[in-house]
Amino acid sequence: MNLTTRILLGMLLGLLCGVVLQWLALPADHFLRTFFLDGVIAGGGEIFLRLLRMMVVPLVLISLTCGAASLGATGKVGRLGGKTIGLYLLTTAIAISLALSLALIIDPGLGVGELETASYAAKEAPGLKATLVNIFPANPIEAMAEGRMLQVIVFAILLGLALNQAGAAGKRILAVFEDLNEIFMKLITMIIALTPYGVFCLMVTLGSRVGLSEITKLGVYFFTVVLALLVHLAVIYPTFLRVLTGLNPLIYLRKMREPMLVAFSTSSSGATLPVTLRTVERRVGVDNKVASFAVPLGATINMDGTAIMQGVATVFIAQFFGIALTAQDYLLVIMTATLASIGTAAVPGVGLIMLTMVLDQVGLPAAGVGLIIGVDRLLDMMRTAVNVTGDGMVATVVASSEGELDRDVFADPDAGAVIQPAQSSAPTQ
Ligand code: ASP
């Protein structure tokens, strides 16, 4: 059985197991709850998440330092950065415009019955100056310890550029970094092989908690977000890929199944980053020079799925409270949501915090977030899968335009596949 099938099986079995446990409505001190659900399963899921997170900072540092060092040699850093950031902003702006348009057609907030409005504290959008200054680390060790991804990215780029200019000393250290990069890729391959078990645990927990009653009440909102996510995934990304690279989008989507499933199970593009990076490099064929920069940056600043939720949520909340928004307000929503995505972390649920900033900009009550919180857990899973697919798509487009895409790797269905130890004694790195 290939890895994707095993992951899917793990997810389905986990969900089934969780739903059955929820249905059994076990008492709090029941053995199955204390030992199995809150013990083995919760622990297993947490260990899987930790293993993924364990890889993020070292992988980004090492991989991007190597990438920047070889980029420095070609003098392409600025152009590559401009293209990548430009495409990230463009796809996010398209995502939120699509969401606003669909929501204005479907009107998810009209005719909704009584809903509880849990209170929700608004967050202020960080100012432009603070956002820019915060990209630069005062202390790289602190940036790494705190997992401040943009600061780690800036440090790795500068280190790579310096290695490139430091003559023999730079060459020696770069060789060490390149070896480390291979070793880390191997390590992430080993962790990916555990994914079916990890997602099983995460899905049991989800299945044992999630209720469908909220979805029935917020059904139209829920399905508008899902529809917009699907259109973005199945129409916008494939169009970008086809038009800008001539590649077959179906092959791309098939290769991205593993990061998508991990993103879906973990609800965190940050935790999924090691899987996305490995897939984009080894399975899609994007050279390390581009992937090591575009993917971590994308995981941090590119959140198309999140922007989609925000677009639909804004319309929903405005309609629910009977507040009319003008064309200008919608433009402001597009701008704030696009920019807010840069300053926020890629962790579960952060989309809602960003939403309060967007609502604030157009004078909608932050309490509106309380309306949709009940279905956000499930939507977070789906939009995170879209977020990582967008990161990989932009990396592929940029690589293709720079001649840094290996089309043979792209076309080979088995390239970089994680082979289970039982199938081969020498798994592909
Ligand atoms: N969970 C999303 C991510 O990590 C962010 C969000 O939409 O809350 O990409």
Side-chain angles (χ1 to χ4, degrees), residues 52 59 185 188 192 252 256 258-260 262-263 268-284 291 295-296 299 387-393:
L52 287 172
L59 194 65
M185 277 289 167
I188 186 62
I192 292 177
Y252 170 75
M256 286 296 285
E258 283 150 21
M260 277 192 226
V262 175
S268 165
S269 354
T272 313
L273 198 156
V275 187
T276 320
L277 185 59
R278 185 190 177 282
T279 304
V280 168
E281 275 188 29
R282 308 274 154 125
R283 294 208 21 78
V284 178
V295 174
N387 289 348
V388 303
T389 315
D391 302 341
M393 190 279 292

Side-chain angles (χ1 to χ4, degrees), residues 125-135 339 342:
L128 189 61
K129 177 182 153 237
T131 307
L132 286 178
V133 169
N134 272 332
I135 293 175
L339 292 178
I342 298 178

Side-chain angles (χ1 to χ4, degrees), residues 65-358:
T65 303
C66 295
S70 46
L71 260 187
T74 59
K76 287 194 220 165
V77 182
R79 200 174 64 209
L80 200 104
K83 269 189 204 175
T84 312
I85 295 172
L87 274 171
Y88 280 146
L89 294 180
L90 178 67
T91 49
T92 306
I94 292 178
I96 185 155
S97 312
L98 168 76
L100 287 173
S101 319
L102 278 178
L104 286 172
I105 296 172
I106 299 176
D107 291 332
L110 297 185
V112 191
E114 280 289 293
L115 281 182
E116 279 170 40
T117 54
S119 72
Y120 199 88
K123 267 249 176 180
E124 242 181 66
L128 189 61
K129 177 182 153 237
T131 307
L132 286 178
V133 169
N134 272 332
I135 293 175
F136 296 89
N139 176 348
I141 307 293
E142 188 192 6
M144 285 182 236
E146 300 276 324
R148 292 192 200 131
M149 211 32 72
L150 287 180
Q151 298 191 353
V152 177
I153 290 175
V154 167
F155 179 66
I157 292 177
L158 294 176
L159 185 64
L161 294 179
L163 283 185
N164 178 252
Q165 310 218 333
K171 278 214 179 71
R172 283 196 298 273
I173 297 298
L174 181 58
V176 174
F177 268 76
E178 279 169 353
D179 284 352
L180 277 174
N181 193 29
E182 272 313 307
I183 295 165
F184 270 85
M185 277 289 167
K186 177 75 195 167
L187 188 50
I188 186 62
T189 311
M190 288 158 59
I191 294 172
I192 292 177
L194 296 176
T195 306
Y197 310 101
V199 297
F200 172 80
C201 295
L202 293 173
M203 286 294 145
V204 174
T205 308
L206 177 83
S208 71
R209 289 196 188 141
V210 80
L212 293 182
S213 60
E214 250 90 11
I215 297 191
T216 36
K217 267 190 274 166
L218 287 166
V220 185
Y221 164 74
F222 187 86
F223 287 107
T224 312
V225 178
V226 174
L227 179 69
L229 288 174
L230 281 177
V231 173
H232 203 65
L233 191 73
V235 180
I236 307 288
Y237 288 155
T239 310
F240 262 89
L241 208 63
R242 187 87 217 182
V243 172
L244 296 176
T245 68
L247 295 169
N248 181 345
L250 285 180
I251 299 184
Y252 170 75
L253 289 175
R254 204 172 305 139
K255 295 212 168 195
M256 286 296 285
R257 278 185 305 200
E258 283 150 21
M260 277 192 226
L261 292 175
V262 175
F264 183 83
S265 318
T266 60
S267 296
S268 165
S269 354
T272 313
L273 198 156
V275 187
T276 320
L277 185 59
R278 185 190 177 282
T279 304
V280 168
E281 275 188 29
R282 308 274 154 125
R283 294 208 21 78
V284 178
V286 175
D287 191 90
N288 168 265
K289 283 198 269 308
V290 177
S292 66
F293 170 69
V295 174
L297 187 69
T300 320
I301 71 165
N302 182 49
M303 298 189 190
D304 296 352
T306 306
I308 284 175
M309 175 278 287
Q310 291 172 348
V312 179
T314 308
V315 175
F316 174 82
I317 292 167
Q319 291 179 340
F320 183 82
F321 287 115
I323 300 171
L325 294 181
T326 62
Q328 244 172 346
D329 289 333
Y330 288 121
L331 265 178
L332 205 58
V333 169
I334 296 176
M335 269 174 50
T336 324
T338 309
L339 292 178
S341 64
I342 298 178
T344 35
V347 292
V350 72
L352 286 187
I353 299 175
M354 286 154 60
L355 178 61
T356 58
M357 298 178 193
V358 175

